[in-house]
Amino acid sequence: MKLELVPLPVADVDRAKAFYESLGFVADVDVTPAPGVRVVQLTPPGSACSIGIGSGLPVYEAPPGSVRGLHLVVGDIEAARADLVGRGIDVGEVQDVGGGVKYAGFADPDGNSLTLQEMPWRTGDAF
């Protein structure tokens, strides 16, 4: 099994799409398959798992901003944080939580929270 899509509830699909594209996510899908239904799928660079945002389907009916702690695993958290800050994203300071694991958090415009995570043993094929 592979996890390949995580739905995120948002209030404004266009605003959320623009935010995630500003992070470097690629918009793979943006379709209106039926009146009142919109499906947008965005993928972070290097990831096999995407996020889904949209409207008009039960999967998007959770309260906007209710997803917490979506992890974006990176090889170099300092570089990833600097890149996002350079793109205008308000990313918290890097925290070393022990065992070599480091985190830095931020949120999308609706309040869904995301966390950069570095685990130094996940490099090469393990990353």
Side-chain angles (χ1 to χ4, degrees):
M1 281 186 241
K2 292 182 181 181
L3 177 63
E4 294 199 5
L5 183 69
V6 176
L8 290 182
V10 300
D12 181 320
V13 176
D14 289 321
R15 179 183 70 181
K17 181 182 178 191
F19 173 81
Y20 284 100
E21 287 177 326
S22 79
L23 298 179
F25 286 39
V26 174
D28 300 311
V29 174
D30 188 346
V31 297
T32 304
V37 175
R38 183 169 177 198
V39 175
V40 178
Q41 185 171 326
L42 301 117
T43 305
S47 182
C49 187
S50 303
I51 61 165
I53 58 176
S55 58
L57 294 173
V59 70
Y60 302 124
E61 291 177 359
S66 60
V67 170
R68 297 285 180 265
L70 192 64
H71 283 52
L72 300 171
V73 178
V74 297
D76 181 340
I77 197 167
E78 295 291 349
R81 181 184 180 279
D83 177 60
L84 294 180
V85 168
R87 295 171 186 250
I89 308 302
D90 183 16
V91 182
E93 295 298 321
V94 173
Q95 298 178 359
D96 187 331
V97 298
V101 178
K102 297 177 184 176
Y103 293 111
F106 63 101
D108 73 9
D110 288 292
N112 294 303
S113 71
L114 298 100
T115 301
L116 297 176
Q117 180 186 44
E118 178 186 305
M119 296 178 290
W121 59 90
R122 289 189 67 186
T123 60
D125 290 340
F127 179 63

